[in-house]
Amino acid sequence: MKALVCDEPGRLSLVDRQRPVRAEGEILVRIRHVGICGTDFHIFAGKHPFLDYPRVMGHELSGTVEDGGDSPLAAGTPVYVVPYLACGTCAACRKGLTNACMAIRVLGVHTDGGMAEYLSVPATNVIPAAGIDLRDAAMIEFLAIGAHGIARGQVSDGDRVLVTGSGPIGMSAALFAKARGAHVTVMDMREDRLAFARDTLGADAVLLAGPDAEAQAADLTGGNGFDVVVDATGAAPPIERGFGFLAHGARYVLLSVVKGTITFSDPEFHKREATLLASRNALPADFAEVVRQMQAGRIPTTALNTHRGALADAPALLPDWSRPEAGVVKAILDV
């Protein structure tokens, strides 16, 4: 089979590999589409802290069942793949927090992923993509991350929500906050992303992340701040700045993670009686929520999927797509 390997930072190779053999309890999936994530770009650039090279990337996956073994999924069934391989026995897994498994392995990061023609994964990680186009199904995972963050923030009807960072994950958070009836403001440094959030995603307001953002936010909220702030910037300075947008009693959800330390004013945090929440990966309920919203036609999948290409062309495409001026929201490889 063909597989795309990141041999080392900055170097990709399309290689021939042995087709995987389905193990007991696994399903062999014929991969059809792979969404490209910021994680993949970080791996390509050599910026991912938890990765050994060479690595087959790819964790946003859809395909068809090639060999279902003893599972109820027949050959040819359209499916998507949950890429988090949890141990099932650690303290987190026993609590149902498989997204935070103490020994988690993520496809395409800790172990080889789906930028290949076939992949064999545990049957519990293969879910029927009922009534969803397979190309759209390759976007379920990144959307589930945003849905999980919004669930963590307990966003409800009428909440004033600020999403900082309007990359794909921030866009997902905005979509699922809107789905819960929130009034959503999106803040970013890029005016093109803000226009997309407003015109395509239905954001109620947008803020340019300039020196006047705090004053403008005060105008938007009557000086009260936001009930929920969701960070999807992936950088420490905007995460720290985000504390200043919190209303009294607010929740602050960190969707992005940074390597290092973040600091904030404890007196300001305490006087607001604010809540700080980490949000990691997604749970089965979040994937199911994405599927429901897709089936209801509430996710603008065509607009989100801005770039497409073939797996065979990926060594040339990925370096180009990684440039900000390429304007990628979500790129998908067809396998």
Side-chain angles (χ1 to χ4, degrees):
M1 70 170 186
K2 296 293 184 184
L4 183 71
V5 178
C6 189
D7 302 290
E8 60 185 13
R11 185 159 68 92
L12 300 168
S13 301
L14 190 69
V15 302
D16 287 306
R17 277 195 169 186
Q18 190 98 16
R19 176 170 148 172
V21 176
R22 185 189 65 79
E24 186 69 26
E26 292 187 344
I27 291 176
L28 182 65
V29 178
R30 170 71 167 92
I31 301 297
R32 301 293 182 179
H33 304 284
V34 183
I36 307 300
C37 174
T39 297
D40 301 313
F41 290 130
H42 286 152
I43 292 170
F44 176 69
K47 296 179 180 179
H48 200 289
F50 307 119
L51 186 122
D52 295 320
Y53 298 88
R55 175 66 71 225
V56 176
M57 299 181 294
H59 61 274
E60 300 179 2
L61 310 171
S62 68
T64 53
V65 173
E66 185 74 11
D67 180 358
D70 295 331
S71 82
L73 298 182
T77 301
V79 296
Y80 66 90
V81 176
V82 176
Y84 320 129
L85 307 182
C87 72
T89 59
C90 72
C93 286
R94 292 197 303 272
K95 295 174 185 175
L97 301 176
T98 52
N99 62 316
C101 169
M102 296 169 69
I104 198 167
R105 294 180 300 135
V106 178
L107 293 173
V109 180
H110 306 96
T111 187
D112 281 347
M115 288 190 191
E117 292 180 303
Y118 295 92
L119 185 68
S120 188
V121 290
T124 52
N125 291 71
V126 181
I127 313 297
I132 296 174
D133 182 271
L134 274 180
R135 189 172 289 110
D136 293 347
M139 291 189 274
I140 291 174
E141 191 270 346
F142 95 84
L143 290 164
I145 290 176
H148 183 67
I150 294 304
R152 289 279 288 154
Q154 298 180 340
V155 172
S156 61
D157 185 29
D159 274 343
R160 296 162 302 182
V161 175
L162 173 66
V163 177
T164 60
S166 59
I169 299 299
M171 291 180 185
S172 172
L175 283 168
F176 285 95
K178 286 291 293 181
R180 288 179 173 229
H183 183 283
V184 176
T185 300
V186 176
M187 185 168 74
D188 199 278
M189 297 176 65
R190 289 177 52 176
E191 293 186 359
D192 60 328
R193 287 291 177 89
L194 293 177
F196 187 90
R198 180 188 61 237
D199 301 337
T200 303
L201 306 183
D204 299 287
V206 294
L207 280 175
L208 190 65
D212 299 327
E214 282 81 1
Q216 293 174 20
D219 289 341
L220 282 171
T221 63
N224 294 313
F226 293 92
D227 303 301
V228 183
V229 177
V230 181
D231 175 82
T233 64
I239 291 176
E240 294 175 343
R241 186 183 190 184
F243 284 90
F245 293 95
L246 295 172
H248 285 241
R251 287 90 69 196
Y252 191 9
V253 181
L254 301 187
L255 268 175
S256 58
V257 59
V258 294
K259 187 179 180 181
T261 301
I262 58 172
T263 61
F264 56 91
S265 167
D266 185 57
E268 289 295 322
F269 189 71
H270 260 81
K271 84 177 184 183
R272 286 168 170 78
E273 199 178 41
T275 302
L276 181 61
L277 296 155
S279 181
R280 185 183 187 193
N281 299 327
L283 289 167
D286 306 309
F287 284 86
E289 173 64 9
V290 174
V291 170
R292 282 193 294 271
Q293 296 294 339
M294 279 189 168
Q295 290 171 335
R298 299 192 187 101
I299 306 296
T301 52
T302 301
L304 289 169
N305 179 199
T306 54
H307 293 64
R308 283 172 50 193
L311 180 70
D313 299 325
L317 290 173
L318 260 68
D320 181 61
W321 287 346
S322 67
R323 298 179 303 111
E325 54 268 32
V328 172
V329 174
K330 177 56 61 176
I332 293 180
L333 292 174
D334 302 327
V335 183

